[in-house]
Amino acid sequence: MNNQVLNTLTLLLLLTTSVFSFSQDLKPSNLFGDNMVLQQGIPVPVWGLSLPNDSITVIFSNQYKSTLADSNGKWMLKLEPLQANKTAAEMIIKSKSSEIKITNILVGEVWICSGQSNMQMHVDNVPDVKALTPLSENIRSFDVKRTVSFKEEDQITGKWKIGNSSSAVASAFSYYLEQLGDIPVGIIHASWGSSSIEAWMPRDMENDFMYFKDIMFDFDKDTITKNIIKKSLNAPNGWSQKEDIFMRQQPNILYNAMMHPLIPFASKGLVWYQGEQNTRYISGVPTVSESNRFHRVIGMQEYSDVLQQWILNYRTKWQNPSMHFAIVMLPGYGKGTVKKRDIDPENPTEESFAWMRASQLQALNLQNTSVVNTIDLGDVNNIHPKDKLPIGERLALLAAKNTLSKPIVAEGPMLKSVEVIDNRLIVHFKNSNGLKTMDGENPKGFWIADKTKHWKLAEAKIEGETVVLSHTEIETPLYVRYAFAGKPSVNLVNEANLPAYPFKTK
């Protein structure tokens, strides 16, 4: 073959490659589709693909915004803040050669709902939540396909629909939020059972936590695990249940496929119902072995720092420092850690979900966060309780108060201070107007101790907006723990019948 022929073939190959590389026509992100909800009150990014250097115009709500695609065909622009609107509207996205029309768009509150199995629990499995479906107006939902990726993806798989999410918690939340706010609600649901917080952590959190860097280092060189995942993803008839469990319990790769493509879709906040997978250990990260290869996750006591940094990381990625995070406290459950599974579910010294709840409550150290109290809910024998309706309702109360500025009571009593008077402890609370018990009996779930730290179930009485604690065997009480157990018996509420938050002073 002479040089002239070779040069001609090379030129043809380059031209062909160029055509295939830049053949994409106008295509917005899959998050922009018929029946969607756009977030009110903040700039709204709109993005997608087109031909390189193409001129893109987005028309919506009397706004005309234009931009140029980059050399790879990627484009993004931002709409000015929108006003809530229940009247369906349409968006037009235009390039030089194409036009796309997106119809039946509402403007209101958009929330991402994520986590593991208790967020994933289907609405069909919770009859009292499913009963709300015909009553839900102006609610739209986008259920993200459950999958994984070894790299951060730009595109998401899913579709907006009219009506509730498949998630029972998300459905109850959206129903009550629509009622309280009198506003359209859009839910983006991205959850997967058995997933740890590490599964939803972006790769750059290696810079924050050495344990995560170590996990990802080992994951990168684990060719056996990667080949199993690749085989599962490419299976012609889909993956098996065993493969499903294997994939969802790996680090980082759920974030890559199911969360990263949502950035920077405008939303008010994120509801996070996760933690069960991180309760196997009170502290630390176990060494990997065949028996616990899926359990290499942070323990309950360190979860606090990881959760807070995770929130800050997501806010940075969304370029929204006021993005609200609503954490669902783990409800009552009567089993312990790997160290000791069978525990006394009411004893405050056992290694139980109590330690995870304490870590979850530390999220309140950050601005624009809330924690839904579920201490009166749950099932002593079932880690997947069915009482999802009150969780959704309490989420909506917190969102309505904290993000819509509704003048409502949204939280139960929270520890303010403890006063020592003689042989008694006086517990003062915030949010304590109308302090009472649900059953008219004395408050339950209070334990006290002196310097020996031998805990005794306290005699408790309500006096005004305080609870007075004592025990005949403790002359000088110093410390108190309330509802700090796996599945405590509790009955203390405020005027809104919202339960008191668990706490410990030692």
Side-chain angles (χ1 to χ4, degrees), residues 41-257:
I42 60 175
V44 175
V46 183
W47 71 94
L49 295 172
S50 68
L51 298 176
N53 307 311
D54 209 351
S55 176
I56 307 297
T57 299
V58 174
I59 304 169
F60 183 75
S61 188
N62 296 320
Q63 294 188 43
Y64 292 73
K65 296 289 183 178
S66 296
T67 191
L68 291 176
D70 65 16
S71 59
N72 294 314
K74 293 183 178 181
W75 57 268
M76 178 182 291
L77 53 76
K78 290 184 179 181
L79 298 173
E80 300 297 328
L82 303 166
Q83 291 186 341
N85 196 341
K86 296 179 183 179
T87 302
E90 67 179 27
M91 176 185 290
I92 296 175
I93 304 175
K94 301 169 64 174
S95 67
K96 293 177 182 177
S97 59
S98 301
E99 178 175 309
I100 293 174
K101 183 182 293 186
I102 302 174
T103 64
N104 199 25
I105 302 170
L106 304 181
V107 179
E109 293 291 279
V110 177
W111 284 80
I112 300 165
C113 292
S114 188
Q116 57 179 112
S117 52
N118 277 303
M119 178 62 82
Q120 182 181 338
M121 183 179 285
H122 202 282
V123 66
D124 288 347
N125 295 324
V126 187
D128 54 355
V129 176
K130 187 177 182 181
L132 300 177
T133 300
L135 308 175
S136 301
E137 298 180 4
N138 300 317
I139 292 176
R140 311 290 175 80
S141 58
F142 186 107
D143 287 312
V144 175
K145 180 184 177 181
R146 296 180 185 95
T147 188
V148 299
S149 176
F150 296 116
K151 64 181 181 67
E152 294 180 346
E153 298 292 344
D154 292 327
Q155 195 58 274
I156 201 79
T157 301
K159 185 178 181 180
W160 283 99
K161 69 175 184 179
I162 299 173
N164 289 330
S165 164
S166 64
S167 160
V169 167
S171 294
F173 168 55
S174 59
Y175 169 80
Y176 285 109
L177 184 59
E178 185 215 4
Q179 298 293 309
L180 289 166
D182 189 26
I183 196 170
V185 176
I187 296 293
I188 300 174
H189 169 223
S191 70
W192 205 343
S194 304
S195 56
S196 63
I197 193 171
E198 288 80 5
W200 300 94
M201 286 167 62
R203 189 67 184 248
D204 59 13
M205 285 190 71
E206 289 181 338
N207 301 325
D208 302 308
F209 298 102
M210 181 57 70
Y211 92 92
F212 187 57
K213 186 174 184 178
D214 291 342
I215 288 172
M216 294 311 301
F217 176 81
D218 290 341
F219 182 75
D220 287 342
K221 66 181 183 180
D222 188 349
T223 55
I224 294 176
T225 290
K226 286 191 169 184
N227 286 336
I228 292 172
I229 294 171
K230 290 176 183 176
K231 181 180 178 181
S232 301
L233 291 173
N234 295 322
N237 298 318
W239 54 75
S240 67
Q241 178 68 10
K242 182 178 179 180
E243 291 169 325
D244 186 283
I245 295 171
F246 186 84
M247 287 193 293
R248 61 175 121 139
Q249 293 184 335
Q250 303 299 333
N252 173 246
I253 57 178
L254 274 67
Y255 167 83
N256 289 344

Side-chain angles (χ1 to χ4, degrees), residues 254-421:
L254 274 67
Y255 167 83
N256 289 344
M258 298 176 63
M259 189 64 72
H260 186 266
L262 303 181
I263 303 168
F265 195 81
S267 60
K268 181 58 65 72
L270 187 150
V271 176
W272 181 241
Y273 192 168
Q274 190 280 329
E276 299 92 335
Q277 189 70 6
N278 293 82
T279 61
R280 287 181 168 83
Y281 307 92
I282 190 72
S283 179
V285 182
T287 302
V288 169
S289 68
E290 283 301 315
S291 64
N292 77 340
R293 60 183 298 118
F294 298 134
H295 301 177
R296 197 181 179 195
V297 298
I298 203 67
M300 291 186 280
Q301 289 184 311
E302 295 87 0
Y303 187 90
S304 166
D305 291 338
V306 177
L307 176 62
Q308 291 177 70
Q309 191 59 41
W310 179 82
I311 290 171
L312 294 174
N313 184 288
Y314 273 41
R315 286 175 175 170
T316 298
K317 285 182 166 50
W318 257 271
Q319 299 182 25
N320 182 2
S322 62
M323 185 176 180
H324 196 92
F325 280 74
I327 311 302
V328 180
M329 180 189 293
L330 295 192
Y333 180 57
K335 296 296 182 181
T337 62
V338 169
K339 177 181 176 182
K340 180 185 176 185
R341 289 293 291 162
D342 293 326
I343 61 172
D344 178 350
E346 301 207 33
N347 191 300
T349 67
E350 298 276 20
E351 292 187 3
S352 69
F353 274 18
W355 296 93
M356 174 56 80
R357 298 182 198 116
S359 282
Q360 291 176 312
L361 281 166
Q362 292 301 305
L364 297 176
N365 292 334
L366 302 177
Q367 296 292 317
N368 302 309
T369 58
S370 55
V371 176
V372 177
N373 189 4
T374 63
I375 197 62
D376 58 328
L377 305 175
D379 187 316
V380 69
N381 296 314
N382 189 353
I383 201 170
H384 300 117
K386 295 293 184 68
D387 46 6
K388 298 296 191 277
L389 184 70
I391 294 177
E393 184 175 11
R394 292 171 192 178
L395 276 167
L397 286 170
L398 287 164
K401 178 184 178 181
N402 295 325
T403 69
L404 296 178
S405 300
K406 297 293 182 181
I408 57 177
V409 178
E411 295 165 303
M414 302 183 76
L415 176 66
K416 184 177 181 181
S417 63
V418 178
E419 187 179 6
V420 181
I421 299 180

